[in-house]
Amino acid sequence: MGGALDGFGMDRLGWLRLAWPLFWGFAMVRFASLAFVAFACQAAVAEAASRPPQTVTVRFAASVAGTPFACGRSYTGLGRDKVSWTPQDLRFYVSDVALLRPDGTAVPVTLTSDGTWQNSQVALLDFEDGTGGCKNGTRGTNEVVRGTVPAGTADTTGLRFTLAVPFAANHDDASTQEPPLDQAGLFWGWQMGYKFLSLEGRVNDTAAYVVHFGSTGCAMDGPNKVTGCAKRNEATVTLAGFNPRSATVVLDVAQVLADTTLMPAAKASGPARIGCMSEHDNPACAPIFARFGLSQATGSPAGAQQVFGVR
Amino acid sequence: MEPACVRAARRRPSVGLRSRTVRAGPVLALLALTALACTPRRQAGGEVQPDAGEEAAYVWQLPPGFVPPKVPADNPMSEAKVALGRQLFYDPRLSQNGTQSCASCHKAELAFTDGLAQSMGSTGERNRRGAMSLINVAYLTSYTWANPVLRTLEAQAMVPIFGTTPVELGDSDVARLMARFTDHAGYKALFARAFPKDGAPVSLGNLVRAIACFERTLISASSPYDRYFFGGDENALSPAAKRGNELFFSERLECNHCHAGFHLMDSTQTARTKEAAVMFHNTGLYNLDGKGSYPARDTGIADVTTQSDDVGRFRAQTMRNIALTAPYFHDGSAKDLDAVLDHYAAGGRTIASGPDAGDGSKNPGKSPFLIGFTLTPEERADLHAFFDALTDPTIAKNPAFLPPPVLP
């Protein structure tokens, strides 16, 4: 008790009298430094929170075997039967856009509503400009998806998106929707919802070939109440090696149609199907769905997609 | 408060409309007249539309599920304009020989059609096409059966008034037409009330503006279909009509590719639409030479654009009130809805003999959605029940649509 301190010529009380201010001062310094650290951290957190989200611009492009897509242009060598193809339409909706970190985790991109091409849930990409064979289209085009990610998002290396209007928004009345969901030409109706993708072209200047993706087998329970769709047909696209600052997502129409016979032999009887409109029993849909990594049989993603690339 | 970088990211280049160059003399002449009358521009609309004059702001009476239509910036709606337009619409003074008004071919009891395959003009000339229904006409992106440049009702009104091929209302002299209104005390007052800021209100431009304003009020959606889908009345559609609805919107029949949306046709726009899609379709009605030719008397929008791949392209018509608007197609060549179903079931009709003979199903330019189908008799009956459910019985009784007291 006293022994250790006796050598310093202090009794316990004296030591306490000496040590307490030191202790207190030390504690105060300690407290102050902790407080400073806490304050600085809080300030840093507050500063991070008040830092604006980072904007992200995902650029898209469309090509036909490497040649830029354009209404009014003609392309050759498409499909299994290597035919000529002239565009009539190319538009598609994307949703659930996310940047991917190297470890595969996703940073969701919040879409920026712009009153024309995007709301907060879905963006419409439109490559047709109403010229040439794209006669039922509009002049306006849109080749970007704009949104934000949280401030401080570290460099990401991949991109993921879904080629669809989300189910929750897919079964309302297009005529009462704000853009981009107000396009009557991309709307099948309440029950079936929107065309997620419309790719149309004229083959060998003879007949049109039409590809429309959308949900099928949708059940209605009373007026306008779609309860679910047997096949959602929502393709998910995951791209590695994608940096939004420098890269562009390219849809290659030639890849879409690579496994398709575009000029089928005339049928002796039965309906003349000229394309794939996501019908569950249309054999033309299977190879096209597969190239988007979709199973026609299940209406769900299955396998890798081969139509979107990164440039 | 958004950071500047987010605001900058949101800014987009504006989307502009380029006018198309079209070689068509009569149409350009009419457009010149139109240019005198009005310069249509896009305008965002709301439920209440501010008026240029001192009148109270116009309030749209819209059915459930409808948003306001697009209205040109230089012709805002007003009650006074609508009243004048209704007076004019029903007045045979519009025709040179005083025998026809707009209503002669657009009768309220037939959803503003006239029941003829091809309408008759005031001098006895037969039109090559049938009168189209004016119900919900404010929402269309182009007017008449096949004209991509007639984008406003103001422009369209010039066609029946001054057209010569064929002669419809038969007016050839603007001054002579307008004198019938300038020299009439009642009309002078109506024009002055409708255009209070205009120093010379009785003008051709104001005449077509007023008619357009009235036509824009012809909004109606009180059919059983509407009561079911927009009114939430689960009993409004019979089981047969419900089955017919499923068939109509099915992958098998593909009707909805051209006949979907609130107006059951694809070429519509509202006050929210940023850029109208003006759509035309070839439905394989003719195939004179096996190469897709249509009768020379009517090749669709190719008459206006002169492009060979526009032959046979026409605007889809609404399915609303379809049971009232026989006969069908641009030239009334399908006498009833069974003939229409036969046409689509075949993927395009065959005309066996005569100058128009040909197999439309083999028309190389026809829409790819005409895939053809077979219908059982029960399915055909269900479709008829659905078509009947699209009839709005209130149109013929709506006092706002019917003729006002005649101005003596």
Side-chain angles (χ1 to χ4, degrees), chain B residues 114-323:
Chain B
D114 61 5
L116 299 177
Q118 296 160 334
S119 297
M120 291 294 285
S122 60
T123 59
E125 281 189 38
R126 183 193 292 275
N127 201 312
R128 60 188 176 153
R129 297 175 182 161
M132 306 188 86
S133 173
L134 300 184
I135 290 298
N136 302 331
V137 75
Y139 293 97
L140 306 183
T141 60
S142 75
Y143 294 106
T144 75
W145 277 103
N147 195 324
V149 298
L150 281 182
R151 305 287 191 95
T152 64
L153 290 166
E154 291 82 347
Q156 185 280 337
M158 300 290 198
V159 175
I161 292 174
F162 293 108
T164 56
T165 332
V167 171
E168 297 184 58
L169 294 171
D171 296 288
S172 52
D173 185 297
V174 177
R176 196 167 148 194
L177 163 68
M178 294 316 300
R180 299 200 279 276
F181 303 99
T182 322
D183 296 345
H184 187 294
Y187 269 113
K188 270 174 68 173
L190 286 176
F191 272 90
R193 197 169 77 88
F195 300 95
K197 292 201 162 135
D198 196 332
V202 189
S203 66
L204 174 62
N206 287 343
L207 183 143
V208 297
R209 279 191 182 93
I211 292 176
C213 282
F214 169 65
E215 290 174 324
R216 289 192 173 107
T217 65
L218 299 175
I219 297 175
S220 196
S222 301
S223 63
Y225 170 89
D226 292 298
R227 291 203 309 276
Y228 181 85
F229 282 107
F230 295 107
D233 177 357
E234 307 223 3
N235 298 315
L237 287 184
S238 66
K242 282 180 190 160
R243 290 192 300 269
N245 173 67
E246 297 265 327
L247 277 167
F248 190 86
F249 286 95
S250 69
E251 303 165 5
R252 214 174 107 208
L253 269 55
E254 310 273 33
C255 313
N256 58 302
H257 275 279
C258 301
H259 294 287
F262 70 101
H263 194 43
L264 289 115
M265 52 95 69
D266 57 3
S267 254
T268 53
Q269 60 179 332
T270 71
R272 295 178 183 171
T273 304
K274 291 297 190 287
E275 185 185 340
V278 184
M279 293 185 262
F280 300 94
H281 306 286
N282 179 329
T283 56
L285 288 169
Y286 294 98
N287 187 9
L288 268 50
D289 56 359
K291 294 184 226 151
S293 286
Y294 268 54
R297 62 183 179 268
D298 197 342
T299 64
I301 63 167
D303 287 355
V304 174
T305 69
T306 73
Q307 291 180 35
S308 60
D309 56 353
D310 281 337
V311 168
R313 294 180 67 218
F314 291 84
R315 204 194 77 199
Q317 176 57 310
T318 180
M319 291 300 298
R320 287 184 172 278
N321 306 298
I322 200 70

Side-chain angles (χ1 to χ4, degrees), chain A residues 22-46:
Chain A
L22 285 174
F23 169 76
W24 186 241
F26 179 71
M28 286 309 299
V29 168
R30 186 80 179 173
F31 173 74
S33 65
L34 277 171
F36 175 78
V37 168
F39 178 75
C41 276
Q42 187 181 36
V45 167

Side-chain angles (χ1 to χ4, degrees), chain A:
Chain A
M1 243 42 119
L5 300 172
D6 284 346
F8 288 96
M10 283 193 288
D11 61 8
R12 209 160 47 239
L13 195 59
W15 178 248
L16 275 171
R17 284 202 191 103
L18 176 68
W20 183 242
L22 285 174
F23 169 76
W24 186 241
F26 179 71
M28 286 309 299
V29 168
R30 186 80 179 173
F31 173 74
S33 65
L34 277 171
F36 175 78
V37 168
F39 178 75
C41 276
Q42 187 181 36
V45 167
E47 192 207 333
S50 71
R51 257 191 282 150
Q54 289 167 213
T55 59
V56 176
T57 301
V58 180
R59 278 177 299 268
F60 282 77
S63 83
V64 186
T67 308
F69 170 97
C71 297
R73 236 175 152 148
S74 221
Y75 306 87
T76 53
L78 268 79
R80 298 177 80 104
D81 41 351
K82 307 288 176 237
V83 296
S84 79
W85 185 85
T86 312
Q88 291 178 319
D89 192 14
L90 177 53
R91 290 175 286 173
F92 55 90
Y93 287 102
V94 304
S95 54
D96 284 322
V97 183
L99 300 178
L100 301 176
R101 296 193 189 88
D103 65 359
T105 56
V107 183
V109 175
T110 303
L111 295 184
T112 305
S113 218
D114 67 5
T116 304
W117 299 107
Q118 305 187 176
N119 60 25
S120 60
Q121 303 295 311
V122 68
L124 174 62
L125 289 148
D126 181 343
F127 296 91
E128 61 78 28
D129 64 358
T131 64
C134 302
K135 285 170 179 284
N136 280 341
T138 57
R139 294 286 185 217
T141 60
N142 179 47
E143 302 188 10
V144 293
V145 173
R146 298 185 203 273
T148 60
V149 290
T153 298
D155 279 344
T156 54
T157 54
L159 175 75
R160 188 183 66 207
F161 59 89
T162 302
L163 202 73
V165 175
F167 178 76
N170 195 30
H171 300 279
D172 282 317
D173 180 11
S175 52
T176 56
Q177 301 305 306
E178 299 281 355
L181 294 176
D182 64 330
Q183 301 281 322
L186 286 173
F187 187 57
W188 275 335
W190 280 300
Q191 191 159 358
M192 294 194 283
Y194 288 82
K195 296 176 198 171
F196 301 156
L197 167 88
S198 174
L199 169 66
E200 302 179 0
R202 199 159 165 79
V203 174
N204 277 357
D205 204 29
T206 308
Y209 198 89
V210 163
V211 179
H212 292 163
F213 280 10
S215 298
T216 60
C218 301
M220 285 229 291
D221 168 30
N224 307 343
K225 294 173 219 149
V226 170
T227 50
C229 300
K231 296 184 165 94
R232 296 270 288 276
N233 297 331
E234 300 175 357
T236 304
V237 178
T238 304
L239 295 166
F242 178 81
N243 181 340
R245 271 184 264 279
S246 53
T248 301
V249 181
V250 183
L251 173 65
D252 187 344
V253 173
Q255 288 296 318
V256 173
L257 302 174
D259 290 332
T260 297
T261 302
L262 291 164
M263 288 287 297
K267 291 182 67 121
S269 64
R273 302 238 200 225
I274 314 180
C276 160
M277 285 178 268
S278 300
E279 305 97 325
H280 69 284
D281 60 351
N282 181 354
C285 287
I288 296 174
F289 271 39
R291 298 199 69 81
F292 277 87
L294 262 184
S295 159
Q296 185 194 18
T298 64
S300 297
Q305 63 86 23
Q306 297 162 285
V307 298
F308 284 97
V310 177
R311 183 175 69 210

